[in-house]
């Protein structure tokens, strides 16, 4: 079970607020740059690895936030964070998705779809969706355990 650090919690809150306020019909308008996120979570520049280039502390924190979300059956919140120059996430976004066993055929397509899923999920502000996502994830894990136990019984 993933636990977020205080910096990761700040990132999570900022991205959650942004997602909830977004218009799902305009997903790219909801995106913010790494720099903008850094200023949101650390306006005084106290944690320079988080709020100032090259953002060395931010990248793993964003990954951890997305791992936390996927663990709870929700889309990757870090889909909202993009490079200021390319207006797209870094390659680490799709790499993390693959690591999390999400289906990624094309990096750019996956990102756009994940961004749209994130905004639809959180802008609905429906507590039932949040609960259902967690329960669905748990039920999937329980099914995996059941299947493993059946295989053990059959081999015994």
């Amino acid at each position: 079970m993933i636990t977020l650090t205080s910096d990761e919690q700040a990132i999570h809150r900022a991205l959650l607020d942004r997602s909830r306020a977004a218009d799902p019909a305009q997903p790219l308008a909801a995106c913010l740059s790494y720099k903008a996120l850094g200023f949101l979570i650390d306006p005084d520049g106290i944690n320079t690895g988080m709020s100032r280039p090259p953002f060395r502390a931010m990248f793993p924190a964003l990954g951890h936030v997305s791992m936390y979300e996927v663990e709870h059956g929700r889309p990757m919140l870090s889909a909202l964070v993009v490079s200021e120059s390319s207006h797209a996430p870094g390659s680490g976004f799709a790499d993390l998705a693959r690591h999390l066993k999400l289906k990624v055929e094309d990096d750019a397509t996956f990102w756009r779809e994940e961004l749209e899923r994130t905004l639809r999920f959180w802008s609905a502000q429906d507590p039932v969706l949040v609960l259902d996502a967690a329960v669905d994830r748990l039920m999937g894990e329980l099914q995996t355990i059941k299947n493993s136990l059946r295989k053990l019984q059959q081999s015994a």
Side-chain angles (χ1 to χ4, degrees), residues 9 12 38 48:
Q9 288 172 1
H12 189 271
T48 58

Side-chain angles (χ1 to χ4, degrees), residues 106-119:
D106 174 73
D107 292 8
T109 301
F110 174 78
W111 166 65
R112 283 191 303 277
E113 289 172 353
E114 194 69 1
L115 175 62
E116 291 168 2
R117 276 181 6 103
T118 300
L119 297 180

